[in-house]
Amino acid sequence: MIYSNVYLGKKVLITGHTGFKGTWLTSWLLRMGAQVCGVSDCIPTTPSMFSELGLENKILHNLVDIRDFECLRDLFESFQPDFVFHLAAQPIVSLSYFEPLETISTNVMGTANVLESLKSVKNKCAAVIITSDKCYENVEWEWGYKETDHLGGRDIYSGSKGAAEVIFHAYQKSFFERQYENISMATGRAGNVIGGGDWAKDRIVVDCVKSWSKNDIVELRSPNATRPWQHVLEPLSGYLTLGEALYKDRELHGESFNFGPRSEQSRTVLELLSDLSDRWGFLSSDEAYQVTDNIPFHEAGLLKLNCDKALFHLKWEATWTYSDCVKHVGDWYYAFYQGKSDMYGITMAQIEAYEKMAEDRKLVWTL
């Protein structure tokens, strides 16, 4: 029984529902029988997974900027959600250098507006505020960051995510510790997420599938850069597990949790592209990509998360192996660029496969 059927028939408000992670989360909640209310300021990319899946006609779809406090509060007040998942953000590190004020206003003030709007919810409500693994002050060490490590940021995006965490904890202590006891909330942190349907700027997988769909060869400049790759369903399963725990009691109220892959899932960019090109059907790597430079990558600069807290308190752990991740990412994009019409069905089939693997492994959220 997935998440003890806690989401069945419940009202779930998702900010950033038109984005990559938001679309996958919306699809999964629809599969579980939830009533979804989405809040986003736009359809962020072209193509758009949200549009391709036809989700606008399956949910309460609202084009509202989370920086518009009055409109946002009115939505919370009228919908009265049982669950809130706050994903809306300016998510691109490179863009934060060109639009620093836009990034800060969205990621910091937008989060504050969501927290302030939660005050208008009268019923029992669990809220999961999503930030990022970039919220940590990266001091260039090789082991995973724990939830108690220092927050910080050397770029605007990272700083905005660290600031969002500070605002969250200030709101929790000031207003939601005793005054609004119907609200239980926590933050979730994850990074290096890949999956079908992502078309955001400056993403290696996105750049590859776009090039391959046009029969172009990808130019690879940092083949040895290493990341702990994880499928988008991994952190989403963590957020949903956290939401269930918060809804059942307030024991974890005000806490923060990391959600990441197993440590053995770290791979170089070269390994990832080689495996993805195999799924795409290339007979030789020379047809798929060429190394145009070899920028040394300092392994200590790898930003990893320690997920022991999620394992201890939530009994949460990653489901898919690296091979499973690559298979489903490659298959989704290949189906899309081959002109498959039922991408909603393909997406739901991948969610079903993820649930089935978790059930086979007897993970706690399936029992």
Side-chain angles (χ1 to χ4, degrees):
M1 186 161 45
I2 306 299
Y3 299 110
S4 306
N5 280 340
V6 72
Y7 294 103
L8 178 63
K10 294 297 196 305
K11 293 188 291 184
V12 183
L13 188 150
I14 304 175
T15 71
H17 69 295
T18 59
F20 166 53
K21 289 171 73 174
T23 297
W24 275 97
L25 181 59
T26 297
S27 301
W28 200 349
L29 284 163
L30 288 174
R31 174 176 165 79
M32 291 188 286
Q35 179 185 354
V36 177
C37 174
V39 181
S40 292
D41 66 340
C42 65
I43 307 295
T45 62
T46 303
S48 158
M49 183 182 180
F50 180 82
S51 299
E52 291 295 332
L53 269 55
L55 294 184
E56 182 176 348
N57 300 319
K58 297 178 173 67
I59 66 169
L60 300 174
H61 172 57
N62 299 278
L63 289 178
V64 171
D65 193 321
I66 59 170
R67 293 171 295 181
D68 186 338
F69 171 65
E70 290 186 358
C71 285
L72 187 65
R73 181 190 56 195
D74 289 347
L75 270 173
F76 273 72
E77 194 166 15
S78 62
F79 188 61
Q80 290 294 306
D82 302 300
F83 293 90
V84 172
F85 291 92
H86 171 47
L87 286 79
Q90 192 296 93
I92 309 299
V93 174
S94 59
L95 188 59
S96 73
Y97 285 97
F98 298 99
E99 298 180 355
L101 296 182
E102 183 88 3
T103 301
I104 292 168
S105 64
T106 300
N107 296 354
V108 183
M109 281 307 301
T111 298
N113 286 343
V114 169
L115 295 168
E116 185 69 22
S117 297
L118 275 167
K119 294 179 181 178
S120 66
V121 179
K122 306 305 180 186
N123 49 272
K124 179 181 177 182
C125 179
V128 179
I129 309 300
I130 311 306
T131 60
S132 169
D133 61 348
K134 305 297 189 301
C135 70
Y136 293 108
E137 181 182 357
N138 192 348
V139 293
E140 302 296 317
W141 58 33
E142 297 180 3
W143 50 88
Y145 289 87
K146 303 186 298 294
E147 290 83 353
T148 52
D149 286 325
H150 288 294
L151 302 175
R154 299 181 184 181
D155 58 81
I156 295 296
Y157 172 78
S158 301
S160 73
K161 288 301 186 177
E165 287 278 354
V166 172
I167 292 297
F168 166 84
H169 289 289
Y171 257 87
Q172 187 268 324
K173 289 294 184 183
S174 299
F175 304 111
F176 294 102
E177 194 163 57
R178 295 182 181 88
Q179 190 176 354
Y180 297 90
E181 294 187 359
N182 60 309
I183 307 294
S184 298
M185 59 186 191
T187 67
R189 305 164 180 173
N192 298 301
V193 174
I194 58 177
D198 186 7
W199 280 287
K201 183 182 178 183
D202 294 338
R203 302 275 174 84
I204 183 62
V205 173
V206 180
D207 292 344
C208 285
V209 297
K210 281 185 174 180
S211 295
W212 294 343
S213 70
K214 297 180 289 187
N215 295 318
D216 291 339
I217 294 177
V218 177
E219 292 187 358
L220 188 54
R221 295 180 176 84
S222 300
N224 296 319
T226 304
R227 295 290 184 270
W229 310 102
Q230 64 175 328
H231 193 275
V232 63
L233 290 175
E234 301 286 18
L236 293 186
S237 73
Y239 305 158
L240 290 166
T241 301
L242 180 55
E244 177 190 7
L246 290 168
Y247 192 77
K248 288 181 175 178
D249 62 57
R250 297 186 97 229
E251 181 183 356
L252 301 178
H253 175 58
E255 296 289 333
S256 297
F257 288 89
N258 293 333
F259 299 103
R262 303 180 186 90
S263 58
E264 64 266 22
Q265 291 192 203
S266 293
R267 295 290 193 282
T268 66
V269 169
L270 186 63
E271 289 175 299
L272 176 65
L273 295 203
S274 176
D275 295 334
L276 276 176
S277 65
D278 287 344
R279 297 299 308 179
W280 201 268
F282 285 105
L283 299 178
S284 167
S285 61
D286 293 337
E287 300 175 359
Y289 57 85
Q290 59 181 2
V291 177
T292 58
D293 204 345
N294 194 349
I295 302 171
F297 184 78
H298 186 217
E299 184 64 24
L302 173 63
L303 180 57
K304 296 190 294 186
L305 298 179
N306 181 313
C307 302
D308 290 347
K309 184 178 178 180
L311 178 61
F312 181 80
H313 288 286
L314 301 171
K315 304 297 185 290
W316 179 88
E317 56 184 309
T319 299
W320 274 344
T321 64
Y322 167 77
S323 296
D324 295 324
C325 173
V326 170
K327 174 186 183 304
H328 288 90
V329 172
D331 289 355
W332 198 101
Y333 281 117
Y334 190 76
F336 174 79
Y337 283 109
Q338 290 298 307
K340 302 293 184 184
S341 58
D342 187 17
M343 294 311 300
Y344 182 77
I346 289 170
T347 300
M348 286 299 188
Q350 292 202 350
I351 294 173
E352 182 180 4
Y354 184 83
E355 291 177 345
K356 178 64 167 58
M357 178 69 77
E359 288 173 340
D360 291 345
R361 295 187 56 212
K362 294 182 168 53
L363 297 189
V364 67
W365 55 269
T366 68
L367 302 177

